[in-house]
Amino acid sequence: MATQTPSHACCTTPPIQGKGYAEKGKFIQVDGMKTYTTGSPTAEKAILFLFDIFGFYPQTLQGADILATGDKEQHYSVFMPDWFDGKPADISWYPPQTEDHGKKLGEFFSNQGAPAKTVARVPKVLDELQQRYPDIKTWGIIGMCWGGKVVNLVSQNQSRFKAAVSAHPAMVDPSDAPGVTIPFLMLPSQGEEQKDVDAWKSKVSGGVKHDVIWFKDQVHGFMAARSDLDDKNVAAAYEKAYLAAMNWFHDYV
């Protein structure tokens, strides 16, 4: 069933920072991947964060830090692996301005950016993290753009996650919706097709809590690498979107 995501007094964001943001966490190795981790190492709740195709960017790391500590009642351990093994897409390729940009994006999505490749790695990552951080009892998952597609695919039957958030998701496919079995929040931008999002929403099972909150004045990627946080309008939308994600995890993880 569709829901209206409430705002909780316990969930707040620190002042959003533009250029010069210094991440609060550290980098570790997980399943052979460089992984950003932030938040309490003894938290009982954790969030797996899938960045966009551009990899580790300050705007995305800041988002992970917000999710880790923004909820005063529930702290989280947040983990952001480098699914691309040090070979992210170049941010200059998107949106593609030349034939070469389009070719390079196509090659990226056929190789290290193939969603199925990451879907297969998720269980291994969870297994290793669960062993290293035995206090974790429940998991949520959030994905940006490309990561939003992966989130949809791992939110299906027998998902190991309790709740999911998909931010300005790439490759929205209504056929992915019927299999969703966990509370699912989608945060589309002006870059997503209304008809695709509407069709996806209509096909989610009526018994599964889900919601869609549009940010139609924001570019695809405004919660991640393509966000210009020195722009007050963008920073306000970024803050609102991360607050919505925090509220969702507060209710369902």
Side-chain angles (χ1 to χ4, degrees):
M1 58 183 173
T3 61
Q4 182 60 45
T5 306
S7 180
H8 299 291
C10 58
C11 295
T12 59
T13 60
I16 305 302
Q17 296 183 38
K19 291 182 179 66
Y21 180 75
E23 66 268 17
K24 306 298 189 292
K26 63 181 180 180
F27 288 93
I28 61 174
Q29 288 288 315
V30 178
D31 191 33
M33 294 181 284
K34 179 180 180 180
T35 299
Y36 181 68
T37 180
T38 182
S40 171
T42 58
E44 295 186 352
K45 298 173 184 289
I47 297 170
L48 187 64
F49 196 127
L50 286 87
F51 50 32
D52 58 20
I53 63 173
F54 308 118
F56 297 115
Y57 262 73
Q59 304 96 310
T60 318
L61 298 177
Q62 183 171 182
D65 290 339
I66 289 170
L67 292 176
T69 60
D71 187 333
K72 303 310 176 188
E73 293 180 1
Q74 298 180 174
H75 283 188
Y76 301 87
S77 292
V78 180
F79 301 95
M80 184 189 297
D82 178 9
W83 307 98
F84 309 138
D85 297 311
K87 298 179 181 178
D90 192 301
I91 199 165
S92 68
W93 300 347
Y94 187 87
Q97 301 297 314
T98 67
E99 184 177 337
D100 185 57
H101 288 167
K103 180 182 178 181
K104 287 178 177 177
L105 280 171
E107 290 173 348
F108 177 86
F109 283 115
S110 297
N111 293 287
Q112 65 266 42
K117 181 178 179 181
T118 297
V119 169
R121 296 182 83 171
V122 168
K124 300 175 187 177
V125 168
L126 291 185
D127 287 344
E128 182 172 331
L129 288 172
Q130 199 68 63
Q131 282 190 334
R132 291 169 62 175
Y133 300 90
D135 291 322
I136 297 174
K137 292 183 170 59
T138 56
W139 285 88
I141 185 168
I142 186 170
M144 309 282 122
C145 309
W146 161 90
K149 174 69 171 184
V150 176
V151 165
N152 200 153
L153 297 176
V154 299
S155 298
Q156 312 280 320
N157 190 38
Q158 297 183 329
S159 177
R160 293 172 66 175
F161 300 97
K162 294 295 185 183
V165 178
S166 178
H168 33 75
M171 300 171 276
V172 176
D173 186 347
S175 68
D176 293 335
V180 172
T181 59
I182 61 175
F184 198 106
L185 174 65
M186 185 182 286
L187 304 171
S189 68
Q190 63 182 229
E192 285 66 69
E193 292 285 344
Q194 177 90 44
K195 62 180 177 59
D196 293 337
V197 173
D198 289 348
W200 179 92
K201 184 177 180 181
S202 72
K203 292 184 180 297
V204 178
S205 170
V208 175
K209 295 181 176 65
H210 61 284
D211 201 2
V212 173
I213 303 175
W214 280 95
F215 291 82
K216 292 187 175 182
D217 63 339
Q218 297 300 312
V219 300
H220 177 76
F222 77 96
M223 291 177 69
R226 299 186 70 230
S227 183
D228 178 6
L229 295 179
D230 290 316
D231 182 312
K232 291 183 179 180
N233 178 56
V234 176
Y238 176 97
E239 180 178 21
K240 180 180 177 182
Y242 273 103
L243 185 59
M246 271 195 290
N247 287 328
W248 197 258
F249 290 136
H250 180 92
D251 284 343
Y252 301 117
V253 173

